């Protein structure tokens, strides 16, 4: 399937099967804001649990926290977001449409031959790195890049726009102060660095992980849940001795790539992209990119953030944020290596991998199915329990199996419709196993288990079902 069609197919599938809906759809939706439906919420939660377990439970020196979305306004001064968290934008004077400059140039570059495209992107990256806005405008003009709405090249100058959402804290206008919805979860970790270090008696090197909402007023939000205004991040800040940050940066690059491969996705669907323009806080940075239906795009960032954040919070708060290293007998501000992955982008990656339209036609009849080949451990439901008929004691046996399994993993029970139809519905939401209870079950205690990906059916003992599923979904 062509890639642009695949994204459209995924969007429709998500809506039809309760994964993702446009936000407040009855009012025609809200740009780049989405709601997760009953199956989407389960899948999202399973991704979070998988990340959380690998970061905290399976790592000796990482603990997790859950900080508030609202933070003291000075946080964002100290972090540099008030002054630096902006993107260069340009407006088309005819259509009044506003573009992020890098998106405008990238979209144009995609239509060029590979060499010309690479040269253009390289020039753009150098100009962005040098904050050369006049140069960027010149690049757009000399390439005759047009607005997709008006079709003209009538552009304003390139300007910076801050991406943070501001709001008021306090009920009385005169007494209220402006605060921001956090644009990243990382700062909740930095301001709690000493709280966690002291109460958890943590020794460097150690990490603090967090999953939570972040908000950015993205001017050009596109690509379904790829670029949203309200999204979730799974971030981890790893605090290390100054001077060891390069070592740990390499360690986390490798460790995070291994995590991605553990999802069963082929290595050639991922690549590293080293940053030319470093964020205001970083001394090294790269992205892990995934080959989305729209092409290779950022999925996760790995950043060596130096001591920038802790040093600035110490300066702005007037509170000491140093660590005493007993082995070195020294006080210092730790350096930080961060891993930051978008939960919604991980969700989109998994759907991009899982979504398949299969032609099952034979000489006798035409047939097809849509199946989500999700990793079993992440699927919204692990097991569908399907009595063949609504009578003859079959539902009773099925409900006993349900009672036995539901405490260990999520099960779906259904009595209605022909069994083939029920299988197809389970394929469409990615349920890895279906079990059918039939009359033979009453005679010999066996059931049919059907495997989602191969569609193979086999006869196994009813008493073994729970363990079969557990073996496939535990991690
Ligand atoms: N604390 C570092 C940080 O926030 P980032 O590269 O700006 O770094 C990290 O964001 C990750 O968050 C990205 O790799 C991406 O997966 C996700 N992300 C960022 N902006 C997003 C948006 N508007 N919608 C969805 N996910 C987003």
């Amino acid at each position: 399937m062509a890639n642009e069609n695949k994204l459209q197919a995924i969007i429709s599938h998500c809506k039809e099967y309760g994964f993702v809906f446009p936000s407040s759809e009855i009012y025609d939706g809200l740009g780049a804001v989405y709601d997760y439906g009953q199956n989407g919420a389960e899948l999202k939660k399973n991704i979070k649990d998988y990340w959380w377990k690998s970061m905290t439970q399976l790592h000796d020196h990482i603990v997790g926290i859950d900080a508030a979305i609202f933070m003291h306004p000075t946080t964002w001064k100290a972090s540099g977001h008030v002054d630096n968290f902006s993107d260069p934008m340009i407006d088309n004077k005819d259509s009044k449409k506003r573009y992020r400059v890098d998106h405008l140039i990238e979209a144009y570059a995609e239509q060029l031959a590979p060499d010309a495209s690479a040269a253009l992107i390289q020039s753009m990256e150098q100009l962005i790195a040098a904050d050369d806005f006049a140069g960027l405008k010149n690049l757009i003009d000399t390439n005759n890049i047009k607005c997709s709405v008006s079709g003209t090249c009538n552009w304003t100058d390139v300007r910076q726009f801050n991406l943070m959402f501001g709001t008021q804290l306090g009920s009385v206008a005169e007494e209220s102060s402006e605060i921001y919805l956090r644009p990243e979860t990382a700062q909740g970790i930095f301001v709690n660095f000493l709280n966690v270090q002291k109460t958890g008696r943590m020794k460097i090197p150690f990490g603090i992980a967090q999953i939570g909402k972040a908000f950015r007023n993205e001017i050009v939000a596109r690509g379904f849940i790829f670029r949203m205004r309200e999204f979730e991040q799974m971030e981890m800040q790893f605090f290390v001795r100054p001077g060891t940050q390069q070592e740990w940066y390499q360690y986390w690059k490798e460790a995070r790539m291994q995590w991605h491969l553990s999802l069963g996705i082929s290595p050639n669907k991922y690549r590293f992209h080293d940053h030319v323009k470093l964020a205001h806080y970083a001394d090294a940075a790269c992205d892990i990119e995934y080959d989305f239906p729209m092409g290779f795009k950022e999925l996760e960032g790995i950043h060596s953030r130096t001591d920038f954040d802790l040093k600035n919070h110490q300066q702005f708060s007037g509170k000491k944020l140093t660590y005493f290293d007993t082995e070195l007998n020294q006080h210092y501000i730790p350096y930080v290596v961060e891993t930051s992955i978008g939960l919604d982008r991980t969700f989109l990656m998994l759907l991009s991998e899982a979504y398949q339209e299969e032609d099952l036609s034979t000489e006798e009849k035409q047939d097809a199915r849509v199946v989500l080949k999700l990793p079993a451990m992440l699927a919204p439901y692990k097991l569908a329990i399907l009595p063949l008929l609504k009578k003859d004691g079959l539902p009773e046996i099925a409900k006993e199996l349900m009672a036995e399994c539901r405490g260990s993993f999520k099960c779906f029970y259904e009595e209605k419709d022909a069994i083939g139809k029920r299988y197809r519905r389970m394929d469409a939401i990615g349920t890895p196993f279906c079990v059918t209870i039939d009359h033979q079950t009453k005679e010999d205690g066996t059931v049919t288990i059907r495997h989602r990906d191969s569609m193979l059916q086999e006869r196994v003992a009813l008493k073994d079902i729970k363990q079969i599923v557990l073996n496939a979904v535990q991690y």
Side-chain angles (χ1 to χ4, degrees):
M1 186 190 291
N3 279 341
E4 59 283 12
N5 296 346
K6 183 158 183 186
L7 184 62
Q8 276 317 313
I10 290 171
I11 296 171
S12 307
H13 191 83
C14 278
K15 177 136 191 266
E16 189 177 347
Y17 287 95
F19 282 88
V20 184
F21 307 123
S23 162
S24 30
E25 195 187 6
I26 58 168
Y27 296 104
D28 296 333
L30 185 66
V33 186
Y34 290 91
D35 296 339
Y36 285 81
Q38 68 281 17
N39 291 318
E42 289 292 337
L43 174 57
K44 208 174 166 196
K45 183 182 171 302
N46 294 342
I47 301 169
K48 286 195 233 186
D49 290 347
Y50 185 65
W51 182 88
W52 189 259
K53 183 172 176 182
S54 77
M55 278 296 179
T56 61
Q57 192 172 326
L58 299 180
H59 204 289
D60 289 338
H61 306 296
I62 303 180
V63 291
I65 64 164
D66 184 13
I69 288 172
F70 292 141
M71 299 184 70
H72 192 282
T74 311
T75 308
W76 307 109
K77 264 297 218 197
S79 69
H81 284 81
V82 170
D83 296 326
N84 295 311
F85 194 56
S86 49
D87 279 329
M89 306 281 179
I90 192 163
D91 294 10
N92 183 271
K93 291 184 195 162
D94 299 320
S95 67
K96 310 282 182 260
K97 190 167 161 58
R98 179 166 294 165
Y99 294 85
R100 243 176 80 169
V101 166
D102 55 339
H103 290 171
L104 181 69
I105 298 175
E106 274 165 12
Y108 173 76
E110 276 167 18
Q111 305 155 23
L112 302 178
D115 284 356
S117 171
L120 180 61
I121 297 293
Q122 197 187 4
S123 310
M124 176 190 82
E125 286 189 340
Q126 282 165 352
L127 292 167
I128 290 177
D131 285 332
D132 184 349
F133 297 156
L136 284 166
K137 172 80 188 324
N138 193 34
L139 196 67
I140 291 167
D141 287 340
T142 50
N143 281 278
N144 260 326
I145 299 178
K146 295 189 174 66
C147 165
S148 60
V149 177
S150 66
T152 69
C153 303
N154 193 9
W155 297 109
T156 61
D157 286 338
V158 173
R159 286 166 296 165
Q160 293 277 57
F161 284 85
N162 197 294
L163 300 181
M164 284 197 294
F165 282 105
T167 187
Q168 302 294 320
L169 187 77
S171 51
V172 187
E174 310 81 66
E175 288 169 12
S176 69
S177 56
E178 184 168 33
I179 57 166
Y180 298 101
L181 298 184
R182 67 181 177 196
E184 62 171 12
T185 58
Q187 298 305 323
I189 294 178
F190 289 123
V191 299
N192 280 298
F193 158 69
L194 268 194
N195 282 338
V196 175
Q197 190 272 319
K198 290 207 163 117
T199 55
R201 295 183 300 117
M202 308 296 289
K203 271 187 163 356
I204 271 179
F206 73 91
I208 304 179
Q210 171 162 233
I211 299 176
K213 290 265 184 176
F215 304 83
R216 296 182 189 180
N217 195 2
E218 300 282 3
I219 301 301
V220 185
R222 59 182 176 180
F224 187 38
I225 52 173
F226 180 83
R227 193 174 303 286
M228 302 156 85
R229 296 197 165 103
E230 174 180 342
F231 57 99
E232 264 181 275
Q233 290 184 315
M234 304 189 286
E235 298 204 297
M236 192 279 302
Q237 312 296 323
F238 202 71
F239 300 91
V240 304
R241 271 185 194 158
T244 63
Q245 70 272 21
Q246 273 305 324
E247 231 172 87
W248 284 109
Y249 174 65
Q250 294 305 332
Y251 169 89
W252 281 110
K253 263 179 96 166
E254 176 60 22
R256 292 305 302 149
M257 185 55 94
Q258 287 308 319
W259 184 87
H260 285 286
L261 296 175
S262 77
L263 297 171
I265 298 175
S266 158
N268 59 26
K269 299 296 280 294
Y270 294 111
R271 70 182 187 195
F272 284 111
H273 171 248
D274 293 314
H275 287 198
V276 177
K277 177 174 166 102
L278 293 172
H280 56 275
Y281 48 73
D283 72 355
C286 69
D287 300 331
I288 294 178
E289 295 185 339
Y290 167 75
D291 192 5
F292 286 98
M294 318 79 86
F296 273 100
K297 303 255 179 237
E298 175 184 346
L299 169 67
E300 169 157 14
I302 298 159
H303 312 123
S304 173
R305 290 183 82 125
T306 68
D307 57 356
F308 175 88
D309 301 271
L310 288 180
K311 204 165 71 187
N312 277 9
H313 285 306
Q314 174 168 285
Q315 188 194 328
F316 278 76
S317 67
K319 308 270 161 41
K320 242 184 167 16
L321 292 179
T322 51
Y323 167 82
F324 181 64
D325 190 324
T326 47
E327 279 171 38
L328 298 181
N329 202 24
Q330 246 181 45
H331 288 276
Y332 56 76
I333 294 181
Y335 272 47
V336 172
V337 175
E338 162 184 79
T339 71
S340 173
I341 179 169
L343 174 56
D344 311 271
R345 287 189 191 179
T346 311
F347 186 104
L348 182 58
M349 169 179 74
L350 286 161
L351 281 184
S352 308
E353 286 290 314
Y355 181 88
Q356 292 187 22
E357 293 175 7
E358 290 182 347
D359 183 1
L360 306 174
S361 301
T362 58
E363 280 183 4
E364 289 82 50
K365 65 167 185 153
Q366 294 249 316
D367 197 9
R369 69 166 180 163
V370 173
V371 54
L372 291 187
K373 293 186 174 174
L374 290 166
M377 62 196 178
L378 302 180
Y381 290 95
K382 315 301 186 201
L383 176 67
I385 301 174
L386 314 171
L388 190 63
L389 299 175
K390 255 198 254 179
K391 55 182 185 181
D392 300 339
L394 303 185
E396 286 72 14
I397 301 175
K399 281 177 184 161
E400 268 178 38
L401 179 62
M402 185 84 183
E404 182 194 346
C405 293
R406 70 189 322 167
S408 305
F409 46 79
K410 203 158 161 71
C411 303
F412 190 91
Y413 180 85
E414 196 171 40
E415 298 174 342
K416 221 171 129 256
D417 288 331
I419 198 74
K421 259 194 174 170
R422 286 187 261 169
Y423 285 159
R424 289 290 189 277
R425 282 201 290 265
M426 288 299 109
D427 287 344
I429 62 169
T431 307
F433 300 104
C434 293
V435 157
T436 307
I437 316 297
D438 56 19
H439 290 96
Q440 196 185 327
T441 313
K442 286 180 25 179
E443 286 158 23
D444 64 5
T446 64
V447 291
T448 302
I449 186 164
R450 177 196 182 258
H451 299 261
R452 177 197 66 199
D453 296 356
S454 61
M455 292 190 291
L456 271 177
Q457 300 186 18
E458 51 179 335
R459 204 80 206 171
V460 298
L462 174 62
K463 66 173 177 39
D464 292 342
I465 290 295
K466 181 175 172 188
Q467 197 54 49
I468 292 173
V469 177
L470 276 177
N471 289 347
V473 305
Q474 267 175 350
Y475 56 87

